[in-house]
Amino acid sequence: MNFYKETCPQAEDIIQEQVKLLYKRHKNTAFSWLRNIFHDCAVQSCDASLLLDSTRRSLSEKETDRSFGLRNFRYIETIKEAVERECPGVVSCADILVLSARDGIVSLGGPYIPLKTGRRDGRRSRADVVEQFLPDHNESISAVLDKFGAMGINTPGVVALLGAHSVGRTHCVKLVHRLYPEVDPALNPDHVPHMLKKCPDSIPDPKAVQYVRNDRGTPMILDNNYYRNILDNKGLLIVDHQLANDKRTKPYVKKMAKSQDYFFKEFSRAITLLSENNPLTGTKGEIRKQCNLANKHHEDP
């Protein structure tokens, strides 16, 4: 805890202030920070490899199919610059990514989660293993539980993390297989006209931003409404639907639908474990000067 207390005591405050300022200007930044912690930390290590741009030699994780819809990376740079002005070369992008997620969760009405710091930045993209490690919305619940289990996140933890689908939106690209050629009978028929209206094309143009809000009731608030929705068959993604119907996960879904406190407690625990997945510490990795680029090393040609 408080890794920067000697080297950059204001670090966490500066990040928090930037997250708040950005949220005032662009509400969707908070969704991005929450999604980032999943896309970075679930892939082998919480090392900000997600943020690296492509180079001649390696593809960026941001360019992979699984990163579809990820955005607002330039505002991570805004936060990094504010921290660098105060303490150049001290605070890692990995810590900025994790703490911005923590503060974004608060912006969305979620719990404040005390998190450790001291992660260091990886030097290479992990694009080649994204599919192997990152749970996917079309996978079986068994596969999703296994992938999270490998990070030490148990079943209630997984159920709680999926509660992040209580905010933000799902792009039509990820939904149309449940609507065309025929509507998935598992969907609540009351919810279908809205989905068809929002996603009128069976093959949506990925460039056209067509989407359905994950939670029509409180789309900007991280709350337990998601669990009530999925029990009512209003889950948008296959994984949302399965979560409410699989006998391993359903008891926790019901418990979280009843108790926001229980949801927040399990969510906080799971985010903590995700944020501590295999970090680079000590002399491993580096402290990037800019979050989208690994530092130049003299030995690099």
Side-chain angles (χ1 to χ4, degrees):
M1 286 292 177
N2 215 353
F3 178 81
Y4 299 108
K5 66 171 176 289
E6 306 298 329
T7 51
C8 188
Q10 315 87 315
E12 297 197 27
D13 292 340
I14 294 168
I15 294 166
Q16 186 179 49
E17 179 191 28
Q18 290 297 316
V19 167
K20 283 182 182 165
L21 288 169
L22 285 163
Y23 181 71
K24 276 205 182 95
R25 295 209 320 259
H26 312 280
K27 293 278 188 276
N28 69 23
T29 52
F31 307 146
S32 296
W33 309 153
L34 178 51
R35 199 174 159 197
N36 282 351
I37 196 174
F38 169 58
H39 282 260
D40 185 53
C41 297
V43 182
Q44 287 183 314
S45 170
C46 225
D47 65 347
S49 59
L50 174 69
L51 305 177
L52 291 168
D53 288 341
S54 290
T55 65
R56 281 190 309 254
R57 292 187 205 151
S58 81
L59 178 74
S60 167
E61 292 171 40
K62 293 183 279 194
E63 308 291 327
T64 63
D65 288 347
R66 296 300 302 283
S67 296
F68 178 79
L70 283 175
R71 52 205 290 200
N72 287 319
F73 292 112
R74 61 189 165 162
Y75 296 127
I76 285 276
E77 229 43 73
T78 308
I79 301 172
K80 173 70 167 164
E81 283 160 13
V83 175
E84 288 295 302
R85 282 195 292 276
E86 189 64 46
C87 320
V90 175
V91 180
S92 68
C93 296
D95 279 341
I96 288 172
L97 182 147
V98 162
L99 294 176
S100 61
R102 182 260 300 279
D103 297 330
I105 288 165
V106 173
S107 304
L108 296 169
Y112 176 83
I113 309 168
L115 294 176
K116 293 177 184 169
T117 38
R119 298 166 193 75
R120 290 167 66 85
D121 297 322
R123 290 190 42 77
R124 39 170 290 271
S125 162
R126 299 181 187 273
D128 53 335
V129 292
V130 164
E131 284 298 339
Q132 196 186 324
F133 288 93
L134 199 66
D136 191 28
H137 65 98
N138 284 328
E139 287 180 310
S140 67
I141 283 285
S142 298
V144 171
L145 291 175
D146 286 348
K147 285 183 180 179
F148 279 115
M151 295 176 250
I153 298 170
N154 64 5
T155 304
V158 173
V159 174
L161 279 181
L162 275 156
H165 292 173
S166 158
V167 293
R169 58 200 198 176
T170 296
H171 287 261
C172 292
V173 171
K174 306 280 182 203
L175 290 178
V176 286
H177 62 286
R178 298 193 71 195
L179 298 171
Y180 304 97
E182 50 269 331
V183 172
D184 180 343
L187 280 167
N188 182 321
D190 296 342
H191 204 48
V192 170
H194 173 71
M195 290 172 74
L196 289 170
K197 183 172 153 227
K198 290 289 193 177
C199 301
D201 306 310
S202 60
I203 303 172
D205 169 8
K207 300 265 186 300
V209 189
Q210 292 180 316
Y211 60 85
V212 180
R213 289 194 183 281
N214 286 332
D215 172 5
R216 289 176 73 191
T218 53
M220 302 298 295
I221 300 171
L222 182 70
D223 56 17
N224 64 341
N225 217 19
Y226 166 75
Y227 301 102
R228 290 194 283 274
N229 286 339
I230 64 176
L231 287 168
D232 199 19
N233 292 320
K234 291 177 180 169
L236 298 181
L237 298 169
I238 302 279
V239 70
D240 300 323
H241 178 71
Q242 287 183 316
L243 204 68
N245 288 282
D246 188 282
K247 60 181 186 305
R248 289 163 291 183
T249 50
K250 187 172 186 173
Y252 300 110
V253 171
K254 287 175 135 169
K255 204 168 162 184
M256 288 177 200
K258 281 202 184 76
S259 167
Q260 175 114 307
D261 286 345
Y262 176 66
F263 163 46
F264 279 0
K265 189 185 80 165
E266 289 295 338
F267 183 77
S268 302
R269 195 171 58 86
I271 289 284
T272 303
L273 287 166
L274 189 58
S275 78
E276 293 176 9
N277 188 33
N278 205 12
L280 304 176
T281 55
T283 54
K284 293 193 200 112
E286 63 184 17
I287 305 296
R288 271 180 227 155
K289 294 188 173 62
Q290 229 180 293
C291 289
N292 60 329
L293 303 169
N295 294 344
K296 294 225 183 333
H297 281 254
H298 297 299
E299 67 270 19
D300 286 357

